[in-house]
């Protein structure tokens, strides 16, 4: 029983954190989150996550990840095709315009930059492949979002011309993903070449930084969550259903194409998770009149972290990774 609770600490921490921030009448947590955000803590945390990821990745994982085109294509099919179609199907229900817009924004997003990679490693999957999917999907997203999002919005009678800062996104990928990853890999190949790195402890550090990023997101979103209290509950259900569809589709495809343990984890987590930073930026830039659209982006982010946090610990518990 104690071991089971220990394995579920990540999910329990996220749940406690959510209620602590929402019901903190003093708003001390909100102020703390705002202070961290204003001092670039999220970017620093993501930078450190990828340094640690570089320390955890080995050369065999990199080769296997890049060569595994079947798994890559399955993940990209969920990200680029199944997610928008699932959102379109859910959009057929009587949703208010802001909620539908938020759902469509989330659906066209590339995969998240950090949490999916950490969860893939925790579940016993190939972290290098998860990173490869992250880079490829975010690069493709630069060109796919301005095409797919207006198509989805046309079903609502909205016409928006989206101009994505392609250079800015590429620069961000280089600075907070590729550079720290290279630092970590270089350090492992030189400084730690003859030492056995404590993988489990480093994974826990990564998970705590994910908790930190969620805390900052929650603190910054508390006002939006409370101001849209009535909408929150059905958006919560909507986000849960949407993410469940993506997870179900991912599991179905890895079963259909017979991906073995060690290959399918990255497909499941990277295919179903969506980045919050870019979705929030698009909402604020192009759809600021729809406050509930931002709420959908935030709630889905929280939901996928909680659902996938539980899932990755269950997968780890059922099939302990061989690389620990």
């Amino acid at each position: 029983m104690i071991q089971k609770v220990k394995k579920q600490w990540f999910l329990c921490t996220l749940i406690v954190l959510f209620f602590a921030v929402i019901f903190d009448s003093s708003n001390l947590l909100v102020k703390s989150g705002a202070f961290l955000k204003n001092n670039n803590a999220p970017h620093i945390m993501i930078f450190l996550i990828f340094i640690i990821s570089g320390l955890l990745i080995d050369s065999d994982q990199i080769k296997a990840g890049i060569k595994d085109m079947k798994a890559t294509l399955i993940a990209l099919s969920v990200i680029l095709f199944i997610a928008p179609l699932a959102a379109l199907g859910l959009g057929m229900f009587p949703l208010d315009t802001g909620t539908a817009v938020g759902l469509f924004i989330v659906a066209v997003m590339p995969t998240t930059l950090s949490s999916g990679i950490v969860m893939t490693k925790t579940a016993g999957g190939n972290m290098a492949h998860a990173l490869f999917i992250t880079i490829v999907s975010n690069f493709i997203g630069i060109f796919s979002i301005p095409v797919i999002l207006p198509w989805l919005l046309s079903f609502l009678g909205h016409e928006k011309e989206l101009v994505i800062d392609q250079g800015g996104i590429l620069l961000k990928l280089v600075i907070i993903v590729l550079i720290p990853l290279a630092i970590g890999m270089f350090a492992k190949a030189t400084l730690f070449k003859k030492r056995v790195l404590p993988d489990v402890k480093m994974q826990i550090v990564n998970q705590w930084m994910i908790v930190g990023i969620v805390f900052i997101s929650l603190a910054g979103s508390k006002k939006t969550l409370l101001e849209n209290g009535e909408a929150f509950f059905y958006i919560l259900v909507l986000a849960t259903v949407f993410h469940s569809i993506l997870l179900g589709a991912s599991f179905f495809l890895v079963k259909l194409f017979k991906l073995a343990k060690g290959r399918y984890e990255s497909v499941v987590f990277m295919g179903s998770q969506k980045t919050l930073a870019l979705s929030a930026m698009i909402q604020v830039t192009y759809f600021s009149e729809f406050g509930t659209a931002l709420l959908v982006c935030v709630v889905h982010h929280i939901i996928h972290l909680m659902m996938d946090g539980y899932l990755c610990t269950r997968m780890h518990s059922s099939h302990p990774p061989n690389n620990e």
Side-chain angles (χ1 to χ4, degrees), residues 300-319:
H300 179 265
H301 183 71
I302 297 169
I303 286 295
H304 85 58
L305 284 173
M306 290 185 173
M307 291 178 66
D308 292 358
Y310 172 76
L311 181 61
C312 78
T313 52
R314 284 296 299 269
M315 291 166 71
H316 173 86
S317 177
S318 300
H319 303 281

Side-chain angles (χ1 to χ4, degrees), residues 22 25 40 55 62 140 152 183 191 213 243 251 282 308 321:
I22 295 300
S25 58
N40 295 312
L55 291 170
I62 296 173
I140 293 175
L152 289 173
I183 292 172
L191 301 177
I213 292 170
H243 191 64
F251 275 113
I282 288 179
D308 292 358

Side-chain angles (χ1 to χ4, degrees), residues 268-279:
V268 171
F269 293 113
M270 308 315 293
S272 58
Q273 294 193 11
K274 299 290 185 179
T275 179
L276 174 62
L278 183 56
S279 63

Side-chain angles (χ1 to χ4, degrees), residues 60-91:
D60 290 337
Q61 280 186 319
I62 296 173
K63 293 175 184 176
I66 294 175
K67 290 180 180 178
D68 197 353
M69 292 308 299
K70 181 192 288 187
T72 301
L73 291 174
I74 292 173
L76 291 177
S77 69
V78 176
I79 295 168
L80 297 172
F81 301 110
I82 294 178
L85 291 175
L88 183 60
L90 292 173

